[in-house]
Amino acid sequence: RAGLYACNLEGIETGCIVCNDNSPVAKVAHYPVEVLTGAEFLTGSTRMKAGTAQKLVLNMISTAVMIQLGKVEGNRMVNMQLSNNKLIERGIRMIMETYPVSFENAQILLNEFGNVRKVLEELKRRNAPN
């Protein structure tokens, strides 16, 4: 709470995710998210309900941020880091599903432009009516 109070005094927006009603932390944060999960099935094991609920809320927030930042097109994360073979192949498939290009051409384009979003923008530009 002391950290939230300090941020509030400095004009910094604050938020929290809690799983208890009338939480002291929620009373201090500007944007409290209260996910009332009820008692744990196994007393003392907060990871089961409360931890999972908080993780789901964080996933929803981060997904909404990615959408607002323009990193999502349709239902595809097109600005992902292509850091391993699985993600590279996923990117190639996204390109192939969006435009009629071969695996090899999609791979070449992905290597050239560096991410799926840039490839899709380029293919859209190439296919736009004059």
Side-chain angles (χ1 to χ4, degrees):
R1 287 185 303 168
L4 291 172
Y5 278 123
C7 288
N8 291 344
L9 289 173
E10 294 295 321
I12 299 169
E13 299 292 334
T14 57
C16 67
I17 303 171
V18 297
C19 294
N20 292 316
D21 199 19
N22 295 314
S23 164
V25 172
K27 291 177 182 175
V28 178
H30 293 126
Y31 301 100
V33 176
E34 296 178 313
V35 185
L36 307 180
T37 58
E40 295 290 341
F41 174 74
L42 182 60
T43 301
S45 184
T46 56
R47 67 181 169 77
M48 293 180 79
K49 278 175 128 182
T52 301
Q54 288 180 330
K55 182 180 183 297
L56 290 171
V57 170
L58 287 170
N59 285 344
M60 288 182 244
I61 291 169
S62 65
T63 299
V65 167
M66 293 297 129
I67 291 168
Q68 290 201 344
L69 290 174
K71 297 183 182 285
V72 175
E73 189 170 303
N75 68 339
R76 296 182 172 109
M77 180 70 73
V78 294
N79 236 32
M80 63 188 171
Q81 295 292 317
L82 302 172
S83 57
N84 61 45
N85 288 336
K86 180 183 101 174
L87 294 175
I88 292 168
E89 288 183 20
R90 181 179 297 161
I92 291 168
R93 282 194 314 274
M94 283 186 206
I95 295 165
M96 292 172 60
E97 290 169 0
T98 307
Y99 287 96
V101 295
S102 68
F103 183 92
E104 293 76 20
N105 285 339
Q107 189 172 27
I108 290 167
L109 288 165
L110 196 54
N111 287 334
E112 180 182 345
F113 288 94
N115 72 42
V116 176
R117 182 182 54 79
K118 289 179 183 175
V119 171
L120 295 179
E121 287 172 356
E122 175 61 18
L123 290 172
K124 184 177 182 180
R125 186 191 65 76
R126 290 180 187 179
N127 291 308
N130 293 331

